[in-house]
Amino acid sequence: MTKSILLGRPKGVPAMRAFEHPSSRAYARLTGALYLLIALAGGFSILFVPSALNVPGDPAATFANIARQRALFNAGLVGDVVMMTAEVLVSVMLYFMFRPVNATLSLAASYARLMMVAVMAAMLFFHAASLALADGTMSLNSFSEAQRVELAGLMRHVHDAGVWIWQIFFCLHLLLLGVLVMRSGFYPRFIGAGLIVGGTGYLLDSVQMFAFPEATTLETVKIALLLIVTLAEIGFALWLLIRGPRKSTSAALAA
C-alpha cells in the first residue's frame, strides 16, 4: 500500500484523497497542475489585459478603453480570482510537501506566499474605487468629470503600486522555496538555484520601479533575472506534473 501511495493515487481511491499524501506523485501532479493554472491565469490578468487596456500617463484614455472593452476587463478580474484561489491551495500544498525537509522554512515560505495573495486581494479595492469614479457610479457633485477621472487614475496608480509590495513577499517565498528544493533531493537542484537567483528579480523590480525608474542597467538585469525565475517556475511546475518526487527520496522519507 505504501508503495502505491508513493508512486501515485491507489486504485479505487477518490481523487480528493490525493490531498492526503504529500509525498505521492498524485499530490505532486495536482500541485503542478495548479501551478500551471496560476501561470496561465496570472499571465492573462496581470500581463495581457493591462497591456491591452492601459495607456501610460493618460487615465482618461485608459478608462475609455475599459468602457469599450468591458468584457476583456471583466475576464481579467475572473483571471485574478482564479489565480488567487489557486495560489492559496498551492501555498498550503507546498508547505506539506516540503515540511519533512525543514518545517520552519516551509511554513515561512507558505506565509510569504499567502501574504502576497493578501496584498493582491487588497489591490482590488482600489481597482473597484477607480472604476466607480471613472464611470460615474460614485456620485461626487463637487468634482468635475475631469477631476473624477484624475482621482480614478490615482486609485489605479495605488492599485498598480501594490505590485511593488507583493513582489517583496513573493521574492522571499521563492528564496525559501529554492532552498527547500535544493535541500530536499525531491527535485533537481538547478530548479532550486533558478528560483533563488531569479527570484531576486522581483525584489529588484520593486526597487527599480519605486526608486530608480530611469535606471536602464537595473532594467536589463531585472529582465534577465525574471526570465530565469520564469523558466525555473515553469520547469518546477512541469516536473511536478510529469515526474513528481524522486522515488528514492520519497521512500526514504516515508520509511
Side-chain angles (χ1 to χ4, degrees), residues 8 13-14 17 19 98 101 105 117 145 152 156 158 171 192 202 226 233 245-246 252:
V13 177
R17 292 286 296 277
F19 286 106
F98 289 101
V101 180
L105 294 182
V117 178
E145 182 177 353
R156 190 164 180 83
V158 174
C171 175
Y202 285 102
L226 291 176
E233 284 196 274
R246 288 169 174 159

Side-chain angles (χ1 to χ4, degrees), residues 137-159:
T137 302
M138 180 177 294
S139 177
L140 294 174
N141 296 328
S142 60
F143 287 78
S144 67
E145 182 177 353
Q147 289 173 324
R148 280 208 323 272
V149 170
E150 289 178 355
L151 184 56
L154 174 61
M155 292 293 104
R156 190 164 180 83
H157 174 75
V158 174
H159 164 273

